[in-house]
Amino acid sequence: QSVLTQPPSASGTPGQRVTISCSGSSSNIGSNTVNWYQQLPGTAPKLLIYSNNQRPSGVPDRFSGSKSGTSASLAISGLQSEDEADYYCAAWDDSLNGQVFGGGTKLTVL
Amino acid sequence: QVQLQESGPGLVKPSETLSLTCTVSGGSISSYYWSWIRQPAGKGLEWIGRIYTSGSTNYNPSLKSRVTMSVDTSKNQFSLKLSSVTAADTAVYYCARDLYDSSGYNWFDPWGQGTLVTVSS
């Protein structure tokens, strides 16, 4: 049981916009920033969004993040086949004094 | 750019100690936090803990009694030891750099490619 809650799956067709939610509590998302990681099949996770809505160099602006209260969202616009991957949200948890992750969302491009 | 590479035995017997090393290349290990994260097959990510180059550590409370991390700045390496392993510790183990901004918020970048450790007799 993950501390942060994500839907196990999401899907969309090429060109569509999809969003993935991440729900937490006051001790994690409510008081710290949220990061998102993309894990392509058979590879290590890669930083996709940090500090709620910042994109590292090289990440397309099709990817965007937002946070409100104790929830966060990752939006992917102009969906492409190469976006098919697992997506994880993460945040520091002040009560646990450690990093917590969501259970991951498997994105399928139909 | 900074690259990380995990190394260590791929097979560990139950009740023994899992030992992994992460080698940092393309940059200095100094003045950063470094984390270990694991992922059982088909499952999500679990943070194991982190170490600063001074040796200061934070561990996941669920693993704290079995985890020891260390750092060797002369070799640009940091290490993980997990004792009394069981089949539940079978996973891909990743090392990652733990970056912080001026407000104290963190994220992991980059990650190593990961190494599979199987616990079996």
Side-chain angles (χ1 to χ4, degrees), chain A residues 8-87:
Chain A
S9 64
S11 63
T13 56
Q16 266 191 334
R17 182 178 187 270
V18 297
T19 61
I20 297 172
S21 62
C22 175
S23 177
S25 68
S26 58
S27 64
N28 41 66
I29 294 178
S31 50
N32 294 291
T33 58
V34 177
N35 309 309
W36 290 90
Y37 300 92
Q38 178 193 56
Q39 186 174 32
L40 297 169
T43 69
K46 179 190 109 172
L47 179 67
L48 191 65
I49 297 287
Y50 67 99
S51 295
N52 301 330
N53 54 19
Q54 302 299 301
R55 283 186 308 276
S57 173
V59 173
D61 60 7
R62 302 186 295 105
F63 294 91
S64 62
S66 63
K67 185 186 107 166
S68 178
T70 59
S71 295
S73 290
L74 172 71
I76 310 172
S77 60
L79 198 61
Q80 299 181 4
S81 58
E82 63 251 38
D83 298 333
E84 196 160 276
D86 293 325
Y87 293 85

Side-chain angles (χ1 to χ4, degrees), chain B residues 15-107:
Chain B
S15 80
E16 295 190 345
T17 296
L18 176 161
S19 295
L20 295 175
T21 295
C22 183
T23 301
V24 179
S25 60
S28 174
I29 197 172
S30 296
S31 303
Y32 288 103
Y33 278 97
W34 302 90
S35 278
W36 288 97
I37 299 145
R38 70 180 183 178
Q39 184 176 37
K43 296 189 178 180
L45 301 166
E46 179 181 35
W47 179 75
I48 299 169
R50 68 177 185 183
I51 186 166
Y52 191 66
T53 45
S54 65
S56 172
T57 56
N58 292 97
Y59 299 144
N60 185 323
S62 68
L63 298 169
K64 187 173 182 177
S65 63
R66 299 193 291 131
V67 172
T68 303
M69 294 184 184
S70 59
V71 61
D72 187 337
T73 55
S74 67
K75 293 183 179 179
N76 245 29
Q77 294 177 334
F78 60 103
S79 299
L80 167 71
K81 291 189 186 298
L82 181 66
S83 64
S84 304
V85 297
T86 69
D89 296 309
T90 294
V92 174
Y93 286 74
Y94 298 100
C95 57
R97 185 174 61 178
D98 203 337
L99 289 172
Y100 280 79
D101 64 15
S102 57
S103 299
Y105 301 122
N106 76 309
W107 58 91

